[in-house]
Amino acid sequence: MAEITLQGNPVHTIGALPAVGAAAPVFKLVGQDLADIQLQDFKGKYVVLNIFPSLDTATCAASVRRFNKEASSRDNVAVVCISADLPFAAGRFCTTEGLKDVHTASVFRNPGFGKDYGVLFTDGPLAGLLSRAVVVVDPEGKVVYTQQVPEIVDEPDYDPVLAKLP
């Protein structure tokens, strides 16, 4: 269980992020077109899993924009933005923002993702949603970097994430 804060107040997640060096947990989530999105879809690429509560917050939206701009322009990199938002809302956000280089994925059919990645809030006003975290998976499916953002209203620290990418 990780303890992080929401505007300075302690909140907890169900577990810990996957260990660096471990195989990334497999998942099946739902893309904006309602098709399945799985980790294996990106085999052979570096994958940035940008995990957050909802695109309806300024911080979450900012992280999607930033990863679209910085990470997606790199060769052999895929960015998957994961939240509990419905696929339609995520698709609308990307269309409105003109974002074409990120994949959105919803956990609405797979609540196990939050448990497998240790990011499901267990208490506080966001209980049932995902915490803000980043996991980088290498082309062989191994976790090479993780970041649990300690204050949910803050953006991730992008520099160490980007440093792990080609």
Side-chain angles (χ1 to χ4, degrees):
M1 173 186 323
E3 181 176 292
I4 56 179
T5 57
L6 172 62
Q7 298 178 328
N9 299 305
V11 290
H12 301 90
T13 63
I14 200 162
L17 293 171
V20 170
V26 297
F27 58 79
K28 185 190 299 187
L29 302 174
V30 182
Q32 61 189 18
D33 60 356
L34 299 178
D36 291 340
I37 289 184
Q38 301 179 63
L39 185 57
Q40 68 189 27
D41 295 341
F42 306 101
K43 188 174 179 155
K45 292 185 174 191
Y46 281 85
V47 182
V48 176
L49 302 177
N50 179 27
I51 305 164
F52 50 85
S54 174
L55 282 166
D56 285 329
T57 69
T59 305
C60 299
S63 73
V64 174
R65 287 184 202 106
R66 177 85 182 259
F67 279 125
N68 181 74
K69 178 182 174 189
E70 303 234 13
S72 297
S73 64
R74 298 172 184 230
D75 290 335
N76 206 38
V77 174
V79 177
V80 183
C81 297
I82 303 169
S83 71
D85 291 313
L86 290 176
F88 314 112
R92 184 173 54 251
F93 173 82
C94 288
T95 298
T96 301
E97 294 286 328
L99 305 179
K100 297 179 180 168
D101 294 322
V102 294
H103 304 272
T104 59
S106 175
V107 298
F108 90 101
R109 286 189 195 147
N110 184 0
F113 175 88
K115 294 176 185 175
D116 293 345
Y117 277 79
V119 294
L120 183 69
F121 278 120
T122 60
D123 59 11
L126 299 180
L129 295 177
L130 307 177
S131 68
R132 186 176 322 287
V134 181
V135 176
V136 179
V137 181
D138 74 8
E140 289 76 44
K142 299 284 185 197
V143 175
V144 295
Y145 178 79
T146 64
Q147 179 185 147
Q148 173 64 70
V149 178
E151 168 56 60
I152 196 67
V153 300
D154 292 341
E155 289 184 56
D157 184 356
Y158 298 101
D159 291 338
V161 175
L162 298 172
K164 292 293 182 182
L165 304 175

